[in-house]
Amino acid sequence: MYQDYNAVIKDYLNQGIVERAPCDTIPQGKVFYIPHKAVVREQAESTKLRVVFDASAREDSRSPSLNECLETGPSLQNLLWNVVVRSRMKPIALAGDIKKAFLQVRIREEDRDALRFHWIKDTQTEEVETLRFARVMFGLTQSPFLLGGTIEQHLTSYANQDRKLVEEIRRNLYVDDIISGGYSSNEVKQFKAKAIQIFKEAGFELHKWHSNERELESEDLGETDSEQSYAKQQLGVRPK
């Protein structure tokens, strides 16, 4: 268990999702240490062991949790019922989600000490180190707002290139899931390729595709040179 747990933390460090907290300076502003634990899901499609951080934990009954100290922000997400019903009106369904969506949104450096946690650096010496999140973690009360605002800003930057496509994506998003479809395999395939390209430009990866048309479930669809070329051409993206 520890080896798998440690591998997740090390991967976070390597990707820049978390960083080592400065040990030579006194933290400025608000500081919070978040408890965490492992949740194992053997039936999960991809990640079997997930590290869960509890931002709702309290030191005692008189102390507020981190989530109680944060501004939630306005709700930017669509109503799930509306998204699902719209998708059911089309004969060919398509659904996917953004890989590690929250962890792609960066936190300002001055706010990172509110997202500290401890980890065992060395099991032999039992040395404990202090890490902190540099990206938005799942479980913060404001995480949906931060992710939604980031996606909305990115989609708005594409509106002049293909307003109809951007609106289609915007209407069929629910947090980090895109639930859409169409009336022919070719139509949905083109939509998927364009959506992949749009989100890729923002550093997001769409994956875990599901459809009632098996060919649309391929993770490679939209990633081949021909599909990328088509998507970029339609979106007006210049080749590098």
Side-chain angles (χ1 to χ4, degrees):
M1 173 71 76
Y2 170 77
Q3 296 300 328
D4 293 336
Y5 205 130
N6 187 55
V8 173
I9 301 299
K10 296 302 181 185
D11 184 53
Y12 281 2
L13 275 167
N14 292 335
Q15 293 188 53
I17 293 171
V18 303
E19 62 187 13
R20 290 183 172 85
C23 58
D24 56 345
T25 58
I26 299 176
Q28 301 296 318
K30 303 297 183 181
V31 181
F32 194 91
Y33 291 86
I34 308 171
H36 51 92
K37 64 180 180 179
V39 174
V40 179
R41 301 180 302 163
E42 294 295 343
Q43 304 303 318
E45 187 174 348
S46 55
T47 307
K48 304 298 182 183
L49 183 145
R50 187 179 299 275
V51 179
V52 176
F53 292 82
D54 188 3
S56 294
R58 299 183 179 189
E59 181 181 0
D60 54 50
S61 60
R62 297 171 299 174
S63 302
S65 68
L66 175 60
N67 275 341
E68 290 174 317
C69 298
L70 298 175
E71 290 288 345
T72 304
S75 177
L76 300 178
Q77 65 194 37
N78 294 312
L79 295 176
L80 180 58
W81 174 259
N82 291 343
V83 175
V84 173
V85 168
R86 277 196 294 268
S87 70
R88 294 295 296 271
M89 300 298 290
K90 299 174 182 178
I92 299 178
L94 178 71
D97 73 22
I98 304 172
K99 185 177 182 179
K100 297 180 180 178
F102 295 108
L103 299 178
Q104 309 309 314
V105 180
R106 191 172 297 278
I107 295 291
R108 296 187 307 176
E109 187 171 358
E110 56 265 35
D111 295 326
R112 295 175 186 176
D113 283 323
L115 302 174
R116 288 185 168 213
F117 65 97
H118 292 123
W119 183 241
I120 303 172
K121 184 178 182 179
D122 190 328
T123 56
Q124 299 297 321
T125 62
E126 297 186 349
E127 179 184 357
V128 175
E129 65 178 340
T130 301
L131 306 176
R132 64 182 187 180
F133 273 88
R135 313 272 184 88
V136 174
M137 54 169 264
F138 181 79
L140 292 179
T141 187
Q142 62 184 189
S143 293
F145 168 72
L146 295 174
L147 175 63
T150 300
I151 293 175
E152 175 61 28
Q153 178 64 32
H154 182 62
L155 290 178
T156 298
S157 69
Y158 269 92
N160 292 332
Q161 298 179 47
D162 194 330
R163 187 171 299 277
K164 183 178 179 181
L165 172 66
V166 167
E167 185 59 28
E168 177 72 10
I169 293 174
R170 183 182 282 132
R171 281 163 41 88
N172 293 297
L173 274 174
Y174 181 73
V175 190
D176 60 346
D177 293 310
I178 183 166
I179 306 171
S180 187
Y183 297 94
S184 70
S185 294
N186 188 55
E187 174 192 349
V188 179
K189 187 176 181 180
Q190 291 180 13
F191 170 81
K192 180 181 175 182
K194 293 178 183 178
I196 287 174
Q197 184 60 41
I198 283 180
F199 280 93
K200 186 177 181 180
E201 291 291 320
F204 292 113
E205 178 185 348
L206 292 174
H207 73 150
K208 291 185 180 178
W209 294 102
H210 295 283
S211 175
N212 54 340
E213 290 283 346
R214 180 167 295 182
E215 66 170 327
L216 294 171
E217 295 188 327
S218 170
E219 293 295 334
D220 294 329
L221 184 61
E223 291 297 318
T224 64
D225 291 341
S226 59
E227 290 293 339
Q228 282 190 356
S229 177
Y230 174 82
K232 289 180 179 180
Q233 181 181 9
Q234 296 297 310
L235 293 169
V237 177
R238 294 180 179 179
K240 295 181 179 179

